[in-house]
Structures are given as structure tokens and as C-alpha cells.
Amino acid sequence: MSDAVIIDGKAFAADLRAEVGRKAALLKASHGLVPGLSVVLVGDDPASHVYVRNKGKATVAAGMDSQEYRLPATASHAEVLETVERLNADDSVHGILVQLPLPDQVDSNAIINAIDPDKDVDGFHTVNVGRLTTGQDSLVPCTPLGCLLMLRHFVGELKGKRAMIVGRSNIVGKPMASLLLREHCTVTVGHSRTQDLPGECRRADVLIAAVGRAEMIRGDWVKPGAAVIDVGINRVPAGEKTRLVGDVCFEEAVENAGWITPVPGGVGPMTIACLLKNTLTAACRRHAIEEPA
């Protein structure tokens, strides 16, 4: 029987949302400031609609202002850009999020880089990427930030630990590497062309899986006692239905891991909680106010 600590991301995210709500209430009471998040949604992608609705509910529940701007799937690049520029100029908006994916006629990179970097609560703007990489204050992508907060809370001191990130995306892998370097970890980033990927994983005290392949990382890839953070969300057949699994084979890995996140219920809930945290941070910085303790 495994002694691994199963990290309850749902409970941890609920605590973080409550903390953000408490700080938002203090901001309103002391400065009359209500952090505002605006989400731009283009098209009819069902998953995006559900995600945006959940973001809106969580924002309001935390005592912050939530606005949605919906554009049709036929919207031109210029129309999306105009919406972003209008939100950049609105002082009541502290966070801007453009829901991805965008339709083919819209240049996603150009739209993301049109967002005011200080309102870029997704942390995807090139300026925020540069700030993070060079150790400056930045808005950090929500999923890697959630992973780091869980590691700090459950594992504790990360200094000197050997960290392995499987996956090199701009959304998770690369910013995760920057965050763990900032924690004084020794960081390796593995990918599809890494030689002896299982062997590299076995050396890691902290193993982050963010590759997008169902149960690719097997139990014998995990160093005994390692912390395993599974960012993957993959839908696989289960009889006539489907079920969600991560990039890690949980049933195998839990036998070796010291700490492990399940899928679902691990990293996923942290993404929206960290979006709220970033919105609060952006509002404080915008008004040169120290974030409430």
C-alpha cells in the first residue's frame, strides 16, 4: 500500500479563492478598489463557454467585478483587437483574458501581445515571459503558478532539489522551468526528443508532467519519494463512455511517489484560483497599493 500524499487540488484551490476574496474585501474597505476581470470570448467552442462561465462565477464569488465580451466566430482580427484596446484603456479593468483558441482568421500571438502587459492575467504576453525569465516581477501563467503554490505548501523547501519537467510548451513547461529555477531547483526540461526520458525522470525529486499524452509516465519512471505534479487532462475510452486521466499512470506512480496530484481534482482547479490571484495582484500594482496580507 502506498504512503503517498494525494494532493487535493480542489480543497487547496477553494482555500486560495477564499484568501483572494478576503483580500479583495480588504481592498474595497480600505481603498474603495474592486479588482475587475474582463474575458473576451470569440466563437462557439463549448468547452470555452463552460470555462468562461466558471471563471465569471468564481470572480464574482471572490467579490470582484466580472465582465464578458462575446464576439461571433466570424469576428475579424481587427474587431478582436479593437475590443482588447478598449479594455486596455478602461481603468476599471485590471485583468484581461482572451480565451483561446481563437478562430483561424485571428492572429492569436498578435492579440495576446496587444494586451497591456500589466493587465495580462494569463501571463502569456512576451513582456511577462521576459520578466519571469529574468527574475523580475511579472504576471505568471496560472497553471504553472498553481503547481508551484501546491509544491511549496505540500513539499516545502524546494532549494537544491532536482526538478524534471516533461513538456516544453509556452503555457506550462517553459514558465514552470523559470519558476523552479527561481526556487533554486536544478531544472531539466524533457520532450519527445530527449534521450532516455524514463531515466531522466527517475533522477527527479520533483516531476512535472505536462506533455498531453495519456498515462505516458509510468510508475517505474518515478523516483521513490518524489513529488509528482500531473498537469495533463486526457479523455480516454472507458467502455461506451470516456474518463479523464492525466499524463501520469496514477495507479502505478502512486506506489512510488511521496506526493502526487490526481486527475481530475489536482492541478485543474488551481488554474481559475490563480487567475483570481493574478487579477488581485494586477489591481494592486495598477494603483501602487501593497497587496493586503
Side-chain angles (χ1 to χ4, degrees):
M1 183 66 186
S2 164
D3 293 326
V5 174
I6 312 297
I7 296 174
D8 186 343
K10 201 169 177 183
F12 191 68
D15 289 344
L16 179 57
R17 290 198 311 271
E19 182 191 348
V20 170
R22 180 184 63 78
K23 290 182 177 182
L26 287 173
L27 268 187
K28 186 176 181 181
S30 59
H31 294 87
L33 176 61
V34 178
L37 173 64
S38 290
V39 179
V40 179
L41 178 61
V42 185
D44 307 309
D45 181 68
S48 291
H49 274 266
V50 170
Y51 196 37
V52 167
R53 188 164 63 244
N54 290 341
K55 286 173 181 172
K57 285 179 183 173
T59 307
V60 171
M64 302 198 289
D65 185 44
S66 172
Q67 301 291 334
E68 279 179 32
Y69 296 83
R70 298 189 176 211
L71 298 169
T74 54
S76 67
H77 178 85
E79 287 171 310
V80 180
L81 184 61
E82 191 274 329
T83 303
V84 167
E85 288 173 343
R86 197 167 71 245
L87 295 173
N88 282 341
D90 186 339
D91 286 338
S92 71
V93 175
H94 304 104
I96 300 170
L97 184 150
V98 177
Q99 184 65 41
L100 302 176
L102 290 168
D104 291 343
Q105 74 273 13
V106 180
D107 182 339
S108 298
N109 284 331
I111 293 297
I112 287 165
N113 284 314
I115 298 171
D116 179 339
D118 296 329
K119 295 187 178 189
D120 164 41
V121 286
D122 254 341
F124 295 162
H125 194 291
T126 304
V127 167
N128 279 321
V129 174
R131 286 172 178 166
L132 174 62
T133 306
T134 54
Q136 301 176 62
D137 281 341
S138 67
L139 290 167
V140 178
C142 300
T143 301
L145 179 58
C147 294
L148 178 64
L149 293 176
M150 288 194 294
L151 282 169
R152 279 180 179 165
H153 180 82
F154 289 96
V155 178
E157 180 67 68
L158 298 173
K159 183 172 23 178
K161 292 194 184 298
R162 193 179 288 278
M164 177 73 186
I165 302 160
V166 185
R168 52 179 166 175
S169 73
N170 293 333
I171 293 172
V172 180
K174 290 175 186 173
M176 193 77 241
S178 295
L179 285 172
L180 289 171
L181 283 170
R182 209 157 71 177
E183 297 292 313
H184 308 294
C185 291
T186 300
V187 180
T188 303
V189 179
H191 45 78
S192 59
R193 290 172 179 79
T194 299
Q195 292 186 5
D196 188 20
L197 186 59
E200 291 289 344
C201 290
R202 285 185 202 107
R203 300 167 68 210
D205 306 305
V206 175
L207 178 58
I208 314 278
V211 73
R213 285 181 57 187
E215 299 184 328
M216 172 181 153
I217 291 171
R218 314 307 300 190
D220 64 358
W221 294 26
V222 176
K223 177 182 179 179
V228 180
I229 305 292
D230 190 350
V231 181
I233 300 177
N234 309 284
R235 204 167 277 284
V236 297
E240 292 183 5
K241 298 184 178 178
T242 59
R243 64 186 180 100
L244 288 179
V245 299
D247 291 349
V248 177
C249 181
F250 182 87
E251 289 76 12
E252 294 176 7
V254 75
E255 296 299 323
N256 277 338
W259 301 264
I260 189 168
T261 58
V263 177
V267 174
M270 288 298 293
T271 301
I272 289 179
C274 288
L275 175 66
L276 303 182
K277 179 178 169 64
N278 277 351
T279 303
L280 181 90
T281 298
C284 291
R285 288 180 183 168
R286 194 86 186 167
H287 295 271
I289 295 169
E290 194 165 328
E291 193 170 311

